[in-house]
Amino acid sequence: MSSPIEDALLSAIADLPEGKSADPAKVAQAIEPERWRRILPHVRNVAIGLARENKLVILRHNKPADPGKFKGVWRFRALTPEEVAAGGATFVQVYGGTDEDDLD
C-alpha cells in the first residue's frame, strides 16, 4: 500500500526526461499547498525509503547521494537504465563545505 507522498514522488519523476530531476518542495506543495513546509520532512523520509528500495535516486550537487547520509538541499530523479541494470545508483559522498573537509 502506497502513501500519497510516495505516489506524488513517483509521479513527479514519471514523465521527466532521463537525467532530469524534481524538486521535493514541489511535491510537498502539490500535497499540501498551504502547509507544504510542514510536510517537507515527511517527503524527505519517504524519498529516503524509496531510494533504499531503488525506486528513485536522491541527488546532492546533482550527484547520487547515500540516502542515509545526505544533508542539506536535495533533489531526486528516476534511476537511469544503467543504474537499473547495476541494481541501483552508485553513491557519491557530498556533505558540503570544501573538498578538504571530505579528505579526513
Side-chain angles (χ1 to χ4, degrees):
M1 187 159 129
S2 63
S3 72
I5 295 173
E6 183 176 329
D7 292 340
L9 284 164
L10 294 175
S11 73
I13 58 174
D15 297 327
L16 288 177
E18 183 180 325
K20 294 293 183 182
S21 63
D23 182 358
K26 298 288 184 195
V27 171
Q29 290 168 355
I31 295 168
E32 190 71 45
E34 296 296 319
R35 297 181 181 171
W36 65 271
R37 286 179 188 87
R38 213 174 236 216
I39 68 162
L40 202 50
H42 300 293
V43 171
R44 178 186 170 101
N45 290 334
V46 173
I48 289 170
L50 290 172
R52 288 183 174 149
E53 295 172 10
N54 289 323
K55 293 184 178 180
L56 59 78
V57 177
I58 293 175
L59 303 172
R60 179 90 169 102
H61 296 286
N62 207 31
K63 302 210 182 312
D66 184 337
K69 296 182 180 180
F70 75 99
K71 297 178 182 179
V73 177
W74 60 284
R75 292 180 66 85
F76 64 100
R77 65 167 170 78
L79 277 75
T80 64
E82 294 82 18
E83 290 167 340
V84 171
T90 303
F91 305 127
V92 176
Q93 290 185 356
V94 179
Y95 299 105
T98 63
D99 290 337
E100 290 82 27
D101 293 341
D102 295 336
L103 298 176
D104 295 336

